[in-house]
Amino acid sequence: MTTKTTWPLVRVLRDRDAGLYLSGVVVSGFGTSALWLASGVWVKDLTGSDGLAALCMLAMWLPTLAGPLLGTLADRGRRKPLLIGVNLLLGALLLALVGVDAPGDVWLLYAVLFVYGAAGVVHDAAESALVATAVDPALLGDFNGLRMTATEGMKLLAPLAGAGLYAAYGGASVALLDAATFVLATGLYALLRVREDKPARPAGSHRQRTVEGVRHLWAHPVLRPLVLAGGATMLCAGLNGAMVYAVVDGLGHSPAYTGVLYAVQGAGSVAVGLLSGPALRHLGARRFAASGIALLALAVGLRAVPSDPVALVCGAAIGVGLPAVLIAALTSVQRETPGALLGRVTATAHTLVYTPNVVGLAAGAALVELVSHRLVLVALGVVLLVAAAPLCQSPARAERTVSRSPSDASPA
């Protein structure tokens, strides 16, 4: 079979650097998913508060507010050394959590999660730019789908493993596991053979370079509507995420049961990641994103039903629906942005998409203590349907174009 007729997914997997990169995503994603769940359970056990537990996710997402500024770091030098350095930093940072064992130590956990989130913003910006340099633009949807599968697929094992490790040995053991995964991921990234030219000396002030990425994104007719839809979706996702411990309480389970819900969500994300490339080619970015948001709306609204089977089905549906708009937006950013701007534009897009998630988490942490979570979930379902409606219009021709020259995405 010739290369041209090989299934795109297989073409991506046959690439050595793609395989190493995806392996690094799996390894570090395992530790991140385990810590993400354990941190909330950790705070819940130490303080007894659903709101304080939800603030763990807020601490991780809050640095996205500085995305346009942090993203400039990914355009100042070679991206591969930056990825290696960020992974080593995160591995060392997590060692600070070993001593957290009392309610008065919760501030340290929040502080570490905040730095964790800031480093993640820089990591994601550098990663997106590096991938766009190495991967055929026509295969970016397939690659980003596989990346989403690798990241979210960790919810099949990591939350359960993290919850079990936490129950047996405490939160410090989960932090050490996450640190070890970052060290291993560093070794995998070091083996990449991506060739990068040294970027030109930055022109203009730091503020001007930051604004340049914002201007490109906001003025682009393909990227702006996808990013706005992504922001609305993530606002609702943040509110929904803050309700998870209340949902588990309503089902009559202990906080550790959240690991089961995240596991089935991971299963849904595995499926959509594998199908995202063909779906993007067939539907275009806008309709693919709209379909995912509509499914998410249905799943979030039905979480109000106090039933274990319904909760599990909704968890899987959330896993399918939520990544669609994220994959569509990221792939479009990589295809439609010059390589010299890609770090800044990626970080700016992440800020516009994920900042509403921070707002949603903060609002949800307050609402869960004041309002019935079932009323909030039903309202979120309606809002998500409204957010999906504008994307159901015929997509712009540029969204359906996958034959761009590689130099369009990453010029020399």
Side-chain angles (χ1 to χ4, degrees), residues 297-370:
L298 181 62
V300 168
L302 287 176
R303 288 184 87 184
V305 178
S307 163
D308 278 354
V310 172
L312 293 173
V313 170
C314 288
I318 289 171
V320 172
L322 180 58
V325 66
L326 306 179
I327 294 171
L330 175 59
T331 302
S332 296
V333 164
Q334 290 172 320
R335 287 175 177 165
E336 303 290 338
T337 304
L341 286 175
L342 195 45
R344 281 164 281 177
V345 175
T346 297
T348 300
H350 285 181
T351 294
L352 294 175
V353 170
Y354 293 121
T355 295
N357 187 260
V358 176
V359 175
L361 286 168
L367 282 175
V368 75
E369 305 284 359
L370 302 173

Side-chain angles (χ1 to χ4, degrees), residues 8 29 53 71 93 125 135 178 202-203 219 226 244 246 269 274 289 308 355 388 396:
L93 176 70
V135 177
D178 196 11
L226 283 169
V244 66
S269 296
L274 294 173
D308 278 354
T355 295

Side-chain angles (χ1 to χ4, degrees), residues 28-288:
S28 61
F30 184 91
T32 298
S33 295
L35 182 67
W36 180 35
L37 170 66
S39 62
V41 178
W42 201 348
V43 172
K44 171 74 172 178
D45 284 345
L46 289 175
T47 67
S49 170
D50 287 334
L52 290 177
L55 286 178
C56 288
M57 289 185 285
L58 174 62
M60 292 182 72
W61 287 116
L62 194 60
T64 59
L65 292 169
L69 183 63
L70 292 171
T72 62
L73 298 175
D75 291 332
R76 291 180 63 87
R78 294 185 177 93
R79 279 76 180 240
K80 176 183 169 181
L82 181 58
L83 285 176
I84 292 173
V86 169
N87 275 272
L88 289 175
L89 169 65
L90 289 172
L93 176 70
L94 288 163
L95 299 180
L97 296 181
V98 171
V100 175
D101 59 2
D105 298 327
V106 167
W107 70 269
L108 179 59
L109 178 57
Y110 289 145
V112 169
L113 291 176
F114 178 82
V115 178
Y116 195 111
V121 172
V122 178
H123 183 282
D124 289 347
E127 166 191 287
S128 176
L130 191 63
V131 166
T133 300
V135 177
D136 184 341
L139 297 176
L140 281 173
D142 300 277
F143 186 93
N144 289 327
L146 282 174
R147 182 193 181 282
M148 183 67 70
T149 293
T151 302
E152 297 299 319
M154 288 301 97
K155 291 190 174 84
L156 291 169
L157 298 174
L160 294 175
L165 190 62
Y166 174 85
Y169 302 105
S173 64
V174 182
L176 291 174
L177 169 66
D178 196 11
T181 63
F182 277 116
V183 173
L184 181 55
T186 298
L188 291 170
Y189 289 134
L191 294 174
L192 292 172
R193 294 176 179 170
V194 178
R195 301 183 64 180
E196 299 181 89
D197 294 328
K198 186 176 181 179
R201 184 180 180 85
S205 68
H206 198 73
R207 179 180 178 277
Q208 289 173 329
R209 296 195 301 273
T210 301
V211 171
E212 190 176 8
V214 176
R215 185 182 298 117
H216 172 84
L217 181 63
W218 195 250
H220 201 290
V222 173
L223 302 181
R224 186 175 63 248
L226 283 169
V227 169
L228 290 176
T233 300
M234 292 304 291
L235 172 65
C236 295
L239 286 160
N240 173 63
M243 301 292 124
V244 66
Y245 294 103
V247 169
V248 169
D249 283 343
L251 294 173
H253 297 292
S254 70
Y257 187 75
T258 54
V260 177
L261 297 183
Y262 285 130
V264 296
Q265 182 175 328
S269 296
V270 168
V272 74
L274 294 173
L275 297 173
S276 62
L280 279 168
R281 284 187 287 273
H282 180 69
L283 297 174
R286 289 171 59 130
R287 288 177 179 167
F288 176 55

